[in-house]
Every structure is written in structure tokens, then in C-alpha cells.
Amino acid sequence: MSLSSQESENLKIFLWNPPPNPSEDEKDLKGKKSAAVPPPAQKAKAKKELFGDDSDDEIMDDEFDVESGGEEMEDGRPSLKDDFLAGDSDSDVYDSGEEQAGHIFSEDEDESDAEEKLTAANIEGLSRKLDAQLAHEAAEAQAEMEESAMQTNIAGEPKPHILGDPDDEDDQAALAAPDVTLLRTRITDTVRVLEDFSNLAEEGRSRADYTEQILKDICAYYGYSEFLAEKLFHLFSPSEAFSFFEANEKERPHVIRTNTLKTGRRELAQALINRGVTLEPVGKWSKVGLQIFESQVPLGATPEYLAGHYILQAASSFLPVMALAPQENERILDMAAAPGGKTTYISALMKNTGCVFANDANRARTKGLIGNIHRLGVKNTIVCNYDAKEFPKVIGGFDRVLLDAPCSGTGVISKDPSVKTNKNAKDFMLLPHLQKQLLLCAIDSVDHASSTGGYLVYSTCSVTVEENESVVEYALRKRPNVKLVETGLTFGREGFTSYRGKTFNEKMKWTRRFYPHMYNVDGFFVAKFKKIGPTKAAATNGVKAGGTPEDEEIGVDNDDVPFGGFDDEADKELMEKAVKKHLRKKGINPKVAVAHGKAGGKVDGKAEEAPTTTEEPKAAKEESTGKKEKALEKKKEKILGKKEKQEERAPKKKEGAPKKSYNKPSSETKPEPAKKANGESKKPENGTATSPSSTSSKKAQPK
Ligand SMILES: C[S@@+](CC[C@H](N)C(=O)[O-])C[C@H]1O[C@@H](n2cnc3c(N)ncnc32)[C@H](O)[C@@H]1O
């Protein structure tokens, strides 16, 4: 791994505990108390009290804009919280804190010293923590006893009676309409059988029989579709799958990220403690996170919040940015940025220098992004609103690129339980396809010759292999000019190097998977690439810079968003090509459509073969062609109409003026002369320049 000294500095703080002992999960299976899942109304009330009414859209949770909840793990599995009391390992962050708060976080003090010196305001939090620790120890002791008792029983007792006799009506009735209270027991029993099959399976029954049954039971008990239950179940061993499904029923801790552009963590912690908030550092791995236990005031409405001293952000959403390790004065692209949790963290790490292009295809979501950028005092960011598949045609040559991709959200089921039922096979084809396209575009947007970077981070808040390792593997295959490097995140499970018959690049072990049941954070995936060679020119000239062999267009999630206005000539040509392609797909000869003047645009005169279609009666054919053409015309009008409207809004370019004044020429994809930029001051035509960093950034100036 080649990390710059600054990267190493940024990353050395990871002092993560090893993954939990698997026996912890087993203990849970073997009779330990089950998770108490608060009813939704209670959850909502707690959430409202903690964040206030207005905070809903401010929580930085990726795809799903919902708040994280705040309960510690009840089952004793290691959580981020277990590391908290020892405080930070880096004192830089606490330069402005007062003595009292300093005691809470000082790196020089051991845990017991720090505990003794906790402020009165935080005593309640400490006492909760101690209670939890005691409860945890008691539960562990109890589980150990139960486990040893169970082992004794297993040796002498009959096998669990799960599947029963296929010919026994009572057995089969119990399987078909289980008592809900017994479902969980049957799930745990089945897990036990699957993990010790030769000893515990009933005669004549196969693993497949048990797997089929447990999947049915998981669907019935937790409310998953069979499709998703199966997909998730196979990611883990049976006992770990059980832990995963259980963890998805519990809320993750409430976490805030200190905005170091405005304050330090110690200072912030003190201010919030003074307002009656009980908190502690999120863990040694972060210098800026605070976990909130309780608050007397809504966290989305405190003066500190309004002044931009912190942002409500899920802990795992820090990780891709930490892996990206942005450096001061770099040029960075955040391809799918809204609502901006990661963008604003990137800017904070860059100390508001350099330039961050924060892009999102969803125009409505960019409003929240802009709001956060302003509230947090971020001044080095340009917000833009493109389909990210347009990069690097829009602009390329970045030192680093973050692609926090749109995904299915299977890592954040505790926040959005609708994922349990609303994702189907089609989603798991379309999403990976989009992710692959975006990832190639992300790679093509990185400057391999960057003196400080040349890195790309791909992340999702999903745990499925299709959206993670498969996407990364695809990119490695399509772009031999990138290689996987270590993320620098010293916790998280290794990515799969093989999965259900598929084999992936051996460096896939450097990618990181984060699971709710292991770390009490949202499920997440992080991969880091280093670009080692230039992108072929062809990859940056076409409409689909990423270019996938499938050659399929998959729309952005909001195709009402107007794009365009950035390169008129190329745009026009591309539109025409797209229309022709569309016509051909519909079985229409584009030439004929042009001759009828119905293709909605000028199509060049080159002969285009009409695909052979099945013979239709002439009249019917004409009618259907007419309909198709009308529909096409409408569609094209929609596209071109929007573009034209946008062009009207955009300031007219002077002849010979640079097309993209904010474009940094890439060392590898030399821009056309017209694209050679001459300054940062021009507002991007399709972007919202929130505060282009015209003075502070050497990188913001074209080379
Ligand atoms: C996981 S969320 C990003 C969260 C964000 N990085 C954060 O930390 O706050 C994915 C985002 O991708 C955006 N998106 C979906 N399709 C896109 C596309 N084709 N191009 C760019 N953005 C897209 C969605 O609008 C959504 O805001």
C-alpha cells in the first residue's frame, strides 16, 4: 500500500478491537435474552425528542434520509461504544477545550482516570455505561452457564425436533402455521442443526430442507421477502446470519460529527454537555464523532447545530471519507453527494482549501446538500447536478474521486425496514449495472498522474455481493489501469475473494465490509483504488464515458432533472446518436424517420440499416410506426426542450471563450483547446457555485 505521510497520519488512529468472538453470537442463539425491539411509535417518539421535528432531512444517512437510533447493543456483542471512555488518541482535536471537558477526552489518561474526572453533567452517561457493562457481564456469565448446560443436554438429549415427519399431519401443520412465539426458538434450533449437521439433523433430512425451513421462518418472523432473506442469509454462516437479522431489528447509536471547520470535538462536547446532552467519543477510530445517549434538547435545533458545529451523521458514513483521505489543496469529485454528509467531511479534512465538486443527479436532493454546505461553513465546494455517467466529460482530472453509489440499502434495514420487502431481482440487476457504469466513470475522472492522489473510493450502504465485490471486479476487468489498495481502515471484515462459486481478485480482501451485528454500525462496503495509468481517450469522449459492454442505458433515479448546456456541439451529436439508437431499438429506420421529419432532429445522412422486423400488414405497420414516432418525438422534445430551456437560462458563451472555466485539464485526457480553463471565477453553467475557492486553492487553478 502506498500512502502519503498525511494519509498515514490520518489513518493511524484506527485502533480497532478484533471482530467479536463468534461464540458471542452462538451464546445469543443458545438461550440468551433476545433483543427488545421498541415499538415504532416509541422509536419515533424517542427520535423526535432527540433530533427535534425539523431534523429529519438533515441526518446524513446516504440513500435513506432517516435518523439513526440510539440504543447500545443489548446482547453484549462488541460495539463501537466499548472503546469510548478511553477518549481520543489524538490531542490535536482538542486544542480549544476547557479543562473540565479535557478530562473527559485526554489521551494521556487511562480509562479509570478519565472516568473519575467526568463532569457531573456526564455522570448519568457514565452510570448508564457502567450499568450496561454490569448487565453485559452478567449476561455473559449467564450465557456461559446456559451454554455449558446446553452442551450437556445436547450430548444426552434427543435431536431438536424441527422438520418432523413429512407424513405426520400435526408436524406439518406446526411447520406451516407456527406459533409466533415458537418461531424464534425454531430459528435458533435450526441454526444449531445447520452448524452441527452430522450430529443434530433428523434422519433423512438434508441441509436444503433445513435451509428452506429457516428461510421461511426468517420471512415470517422478521418480515423479509423470501428473495431478500435468501440473499442475505447466504452472506453468512447460519449463526452469523441470525445475528445479522437480529441486529437489523435494533437501532444504531445516534452519532454526530464535529465540524472541525468551526469547532473542536472537546469544545463541542462541553457545549452539549452543558445543555444536558449525555455523550462520549464514538471510538478511537474517529477524532470527530460523538455518540449521543440522551439529550434534554432536540439535537437538530441547538444553537451549536444551527451554527454548524456538527452534523447528524451515521458512524459508518465517516468511513469512505477516511479511506479517501483527502489532502489539502486537492481537487476532489464527490459523484453522488446529496445530502452532503461526506462532502462536508471531505471539505473539513481539506480545511476548506482546494476544490470539491459535489454532484448529485437528483436536483431536489441538491437543495439539502447546499443547505448543509452553507450551515457548516464549507467554502471550497461547487455543487453540480449531472447524471454522474456524464463524468469525466463534464470535467475530469481529479486528484481523488468518491463514488458513494446509489444502492439497495441492505446495510441500513434498521433505518428503513421497507427494504425487507421492496427490493426484487430486477433491482439487483439494475442497481449493479448502474453502479458499474458509475464506477467506470469515476475511474476515468481520476488523474492518474496526480502528484498527491490518484485515488478513488467506491462505497455503498449495502451488503450484497452484486453491489460490491462484483462491481469492483467488473471495474478491475474493464480498467486495467487501476488496482485495489488497502483502505487504511483497520477494522471491518475483508471483502469476499470468492462467493458461491464466483472467484474474485485476490486483492478483494483489501476491501472492507461493515456489519451491524459486528460493529453496531450500519452495513457498509468500502473499496479503494489507485489509478496507475491513463484512461484511453475513447473512454472520455463518448456519451457514456464509462461505456459498458452491455451498452444499455439505465436512467438516473430522477430523470426530470434537466442536464446539458455544457458542451453544445458534442451534446447535439450525442442527442442525435441517442435518438437514432432509440429508433433502431424500436425497429424504425432512422433515415425514414428523418425523411418524414419526425425523428425530432437532424440526423446525419449516412445509411442506417433498419433492423429486420417481423412482417406486419402495411397499414398496421404505418400506424404503429406513426405512434412510435410520435412517442419518440415527444421524448426527444422532452430532452431537447429541457436542454434548450436550460441553455436560455445559462449565460451565452462568448465565441472562443473557454467552455468550462472550472475544468482542470487532466494530465491524461488532454482537453480540447476550447476547454482549457482560465480561472475559477466563472460560475459553472450547470452547477451551483456555492463558493468556488478562487483564492485559496492552487489546485483550483488550471495547470
Ligand atoms: C448513497 S446516496 C449519497 C449519500 C451522500 N454521499 C452522503 O454522504 O450524504 C446516493 C446518491 O446518489 C444519487 N444518484 C443516483 N443516481 C445517480 C446518478 N446517475 N448520478 C449521480 N447521482 C446519482 C442519489 O440522488 C443519491 O443522492
Side-chain angles (χ1 to χ4, degrees):
M1 179 174 88
S2 61
L3 286 183
S4 69
S5 58
Q6 182 59 48
E7 279 173 323
S8 313
E9 181 60 27
N10 285 349
L11 300 173
K12 75 180 179 191
I13 53 168
F14 299 116
L15 297 169
W16 194 252
N17 284 336
N21 183 340
S23 66
E24 293 282 335
D25 295 330
E26 312 242 331
K27 283 172 199 166
D28 199 2
L29 289 177
K30 291 170 184 165
K32 219 169 78 173
K33 67 188 167 120
S34 67
V37 184
Q42 204 178 313
K43 277 190 194 175
K45 185 168 174 275
K47 208 159 64 177
K48 199 173 159 190
E49 278 168 9
L50 199 49
F51 294 112
D53 283 340
D54 304 330
S55 62
D56 274 7
D57 56 350
E58 298 290 352
I59 309 226
M60 301 298 106
D61 274 328
D62 306 301
E63 190 96 19
F64 305 92
D65 281 6
V66 285
E67 300 90 325
S68 62
E71 280 177 340
E72 34 190 293
M73 295 287 269
E74 293 176 324
D75 54 5
R77 283 191 291 272
S79 71
L80 297 180
K81 210 166 93 49
D82 295 341
D83 280 330
F84 288 166
L85 276 176
D88 296 85
S89 58
D90 192 318
S91 57
D92 298 355
V93 187
Y94 305 123
D95 52 356
S96 56
E98 288 173 18
E99 202 183 7
Q100 198 179 35
H103 289 311
I104 303 172
F105 299 111
S106 167
E107 62 173 337
D108 297 322
E109 293 163 335
D110 65 18
E111 190 163 314
S112 54
D113 284 346
E115 284 176 9
E116 274 172 28
K117 292 172 185 171
L118 276 172
T119 59
N122 229 20
I123 290 267
E124 197 184 341
L126 173 62
S127 116
R128 276 164 55 95
K129 186 179 174 71
L130 290 176
D131 286 350
Q133 270 171 0
L134 282 175
H136 170 68
E137 280 162 22
E140 261 191 340
Q142 175 71 15
E144 263 169 38
M145 274 169 56
E146 284 174 11
E147 192 178 5
S148 61
M150 191 167 281
Q151 272 161 8
T152 321
N153 289 343
I154 287 166
E157 270 189 12
K159 296 167 182 174
H161 188 69
I162 295 170
L163 299 177
D165 182 348
D167 299 325
D168 183 322
E169 279 183 12
D170 289 343
D171 278 3
Q172 295 316 303
L175 278 179
D179 177 340
V180 175
T181 54
L182 293 180
L183 256 180
R184 189 188 160 90
T185 314
R186 191 162 74 202
I187 291 173
T188 56
D189 279 347
T190 313
V191 167
R192 276 178 52 213
V193 173
L194 284 170
E195 299 229 318
D196 188 9
F197 197 75
S198 53
N199 287 321
L200 299 181
E202 289 158 273
E203 220 172 282
R205 294 298 196 163
S206 66
R207 286 191 76 83
D209 293 337
Y210 284 95
T211 305
E212 195 185 322
Q213 187 57 47
I214 198 172
L215 285 173
K216 278 190 191 145
D217 289 349
I218 285 168
C219 295
Y221 187 71
Y222 298 107
Y224 286 80
S225 67
E226 270 185 46
F227 169 78
L228 194 65
E230 186 179 359
K231 189 174 282 301
L232 297 174
F233 183 80
H234 289 301
L235 289 169
F236 309 102
S237 70
S239 61
E240 201 184 349
F242 174 76
S243 301
F244 174 77
F245 287 117
E246 279 287 288
N248 287 345
E249 300 302 304
K250 299 170 196 169
E251 290 184 76
R252 306 277 80 81
H254 297 279
V255 173
I256 61 174
R257 176 173 61 77
T258 313
N259 177 20
T260 52
L261 292 175
K262 294 209 170 181
T263 187
R265 181 164 67 174
R266 177 161 36 177
E267 199 179 351
L268 173 64
Q270 187 61 68
L272 292 177
I273 286 169
N274 291 344
R275 293 191 190 284
V277 179
T278 317
L279 49 79
E280 65 183 19
V282 78
K284 287 176 183 171
W285 59 277
S286 169
K287 297 182 198 178
V288 290
L290 286 168
Q291 181 176 347
I292 308 295
F293 297 111
E294 249 178 87
S295 178
Q296 307 300 317
V297 286
L299 279 175
T302 64
E304 289 75 21
Y305 176 85
L306 297 172
H309 289 190
Y310 64 88
I311 183 163
L312 313 172
Q313 186 168 8
S316 53
S317 146
F318 296 15
L319 301 168
V321 178
M322 295 171 89
L324 188 70
Q327 307 294 299
E328 284 174 46
N329 292 316
E330 285 189 330
R331 261 174 33 111
I332 298 201
L333 171 63
D334 187 353
M335 280 189 124
K342 296 180 190 75
T343 305
T344 52
Y345 191 15
I346 291 171
S347 293
L349 291 175
M350 293 167 77
K351 304 203 168 91
N352 250 341
T353 67
C355 192
V356 180
F357 283 73
N359 177 71
D360 201 281
N362 186 321
R363 197 179 181 80
R365 281 172 71 92
T366 58
K367 286 182 190 152
L369 170 63
I370 291 168
N372 278 313
I373 284 170
H374 283 302
R375 187 174 62 80
L376 297 180
V378 168
K379 293 192 167 69
N380 65 345
T381 302
I382 292 172
V383 173
C384 38
N385 176 216
Y386 293 103
D387 178 344
K389 294 201 291 297
E390 298 288 325
F391 286 88
K393 189 170 159 285
V394 175
I395 180 171
F398 289 94
D399 295 304
R400 285 165 212 255
V401 173
L402 172 65
L403 172 57
D404 185 35
C407 69
S408 65
T410 54
V412 288
I413 288 172
S414 71
K415 287 174 187 156
D416 183 2
S418 71
V419 173
K420 288 177 181 178
T421 49
N422 70 10
K423 296 284 174 280
N424 58 30
K426 196 175 162 203
D427 294 313
F428 286 98
M429 281 172 64
L430 294 182
L431 277 166
H433 189 105
L434 175 62
Q435 289 156 348
K436 285 173 188 169
Q437 288 185 316
L438 292 175
L439 183 51
L440 294 192
C441 294
I443 291 169
D444 297 342
S445 303
V446 175
D447 178 6
H448 80 285
S450 161
S451 58
T452 54
Y455 291 99
L456 158 77
V457 166
Y458 173 76
S459 61
T460 69
C461 58
S462 180
V463 295
T464 64
V465 173
E466 293 96 318
E467 295 176 83
N468 297 316
E469 285 87 348
S470 291
V471 174
V472 169
E473 182 75 15
Y474 173 84
L476 292 173
R477 197 155 37 85
K478 288 283 147 198
R479 294 289 186 269
N481 56 337
V482 291
K483 60 175 189 176
L484 277 173
V485 294
E486 288 183 88
T487 58
L489 306 169
T490 54
F491 66 106
R493 189 172 286 177
E494 289 180 359
F496 289 101
T497 47
S498 63
Y499 180 75
R500 308 194 88 197
K502 277 188 190 164
T503 311
F504 299 120
N505 188 300
E506 57 167 27
K507 298 291 186 318
M508 205 66 79
K509 62 175 187 267
W510 285 341
T511 64
R512 284 284 170 261
R513 295 184 146 257
F514 301 89
Y515 294 124
H517 61 285
M518 285 182 76
Y519 306 110
N520 200 10
V521 296
D522 290 334
F524 235 84
F525 175 85
V526 180
K528 184 171 183 176
F529 298 86
K530 172 88 175 99
K531 190 163 172 183
I532 48 179
T535 295
K536 282 187 193 157
T540 57
N541 291 336
V543 63
K544 287 183 291 165
T548 61
E550 295 88 346
D551 203 29
E552 249 175 66
E553 289 291 346
I554 295 181
V556 296
D557 64 354
N558 175 3
D559 58 8
D560 279 332
V561 180
F563 290 109
F566 53 90
D567 189 345
D568 303 340
E569 281 311 305
D571 220 22
K572 202 168 162 191
E573 204 181 302
L574 293 169
M575 292 288 189
E576 284 168 0
K577 269 189 188 164
V579 171
K580 279 162 72 179
K581 190 176 149 194
H582 197 84
L583 286 169
R584 280 198 300 271
K585 258 190 184 169
K586 296 267 169 192
I588 301 166
N589 183 342
K591 273 177 75 183
V592 176
V594 172
H596 290 189
K598 292 196 172 172
K602 183 178 150 272
V603 180
D604 71 30
K606 281 184 208 144
E608 295 279 346
E609 271 301 311
T612 325
T613 52
T614 46
E615 283 297 309
E616 286 175 64
K618 207 176 164 213
K621 197 170 174 179
E622 272 172 11
E623 195 193 319
S624 78
T625 308
K627 272 186 196 160
K628 280 175 189 166
E629 282 172 1
K630 261 187 202 152
L632 271 174
E633 197 174 357
K634 232 176 151 185
K635 187 165 184 188
K636 189 166 181 221
E637 243 170 44
K638 196 178 159 198
I639 300 166
L640 292 177
K642 271 182 192 160
K643 185 172 144 20
E644 274 155 21
K645 268 190 201 142
Q646 176 135 3
E647 278 164 2
E648 273 168 32
R649 283 200 299 273
K652 284 264 179 255
K653 289 192 204 102
K654 280 187 198 153
E655 220 154 287
K659 289 187 177 178
K660 277 283 171 203
S661 63
Y662 56 96
N663 200 355
K664 174 194 170 191
S666 159
S667 59
E668 57 191 55
T669 55
K670 295 285 176 229
E672 309 134 32
K675 279 195 177 170
K676 280 200 174 149
N678 65 357
E680 284 285 306
S681 55
K682 189 178 166 195
K683 190 175 172 186
E685 290 151 357
N686 200 27
T688 307
T690 57
S691 291
S693 168
S694 52
T695 50
S696 60
S697 165
K698 71 175 168 65
K699 288 290 176 93
Q701 302 300 326
K703 280 177 183 163

